[in-house]
Amino acid sequence: MNKFEEFKAKGNNCFKQGQYNEAVECYKEAIKQDPTNPVGYSNCAMALIKLDNFDSASQMCKRGLFFVNDTNDANKKIAEKLKWRLDVCTENMKDGLIPVEIYEVDKLPEQYRNL
């Protein structure tokens, strides 16, 4: 078993036990061993989601998607997981956004009408 697989397996064990912080650290070590393998990013993102760290999870998803090769079935499944996890992050991060009132063009304040 290579180092990537070792750290991934340790991370998976931690994740199953609910030790999400430890899982994140293991997955990050796996990523260091093979930074082009999208599985490490995907697993790390899920652990970060469990920790409600949606911003970091979102970044992990984006990095993982960068390394996905859609030509084989295994990577297609990882791509689907990464996209779903990115959607979860996006939905949960919306709660922290400041609501902005949208105006129709004819209802803009006077100082903005000529822009």
Side-chain angles (χ1 to χ4, degrees), residues 50-65:
K50 289 289 192 177
L51 293 168
D52 293 334
N53 189 341
F54 302 109
D55 187 46
S56 294
S58 174
Q59 294 303 313
M60 282 292 172
C61 291
K62 291 173 187 174
R63 289 182 197 146
L65 285 168

Side-chain angles (χ1 to χ4, degrees), residues 86-97:
L86 184 56
D87 287 345
V88 168
C89 294
T90 302
E91 275 302 308
N92 281 284
M93 288 190 304
K94 283 182 181 177
D95 294 337
L97 296 178

Side-chain angles (χ1 to χ4, degrees), residues 26-93:
C26 291
Y27 295 137
K28 284 182 178 180
E29 285 299 319
I31 292 167
K32 286 180 186 176
Q33 299 302 313
D34 186 356
T36 64
N37 190 330
V39 173
Y41 297 98
S42 180
N43 290 6
C44 191
M46 191 65 226
L48 288 163
I49 288 169
K50 289 289 192 177
L51 293 168
D52 293 334
N53 189 341
F54 302 109
D55 187 46
S56 294
S58 174
Q59 294 303 313
M60 282 292 172
C61 291
K62 291 173 187 174
R63 289 182 197 146
L65 285 168
F66 180 79
F67 295 109
V68 170
N69 176 353
D70 287 333
T71 58
N72 73 47
D73 289 337
N75 274 336
K76 286 180 183 177
K77 290 180 182 179
I78 293 301
E80 289 174 18
K81 286 182 181 180
L82 284 163
K83 289 174 186 175
W84 176 79
R85 291 170 180 170
L86 184 56
D87 287 345
V88 168
C89 294
T90 302
E91 275 302 308
N92 281 284
M93 288 190 304

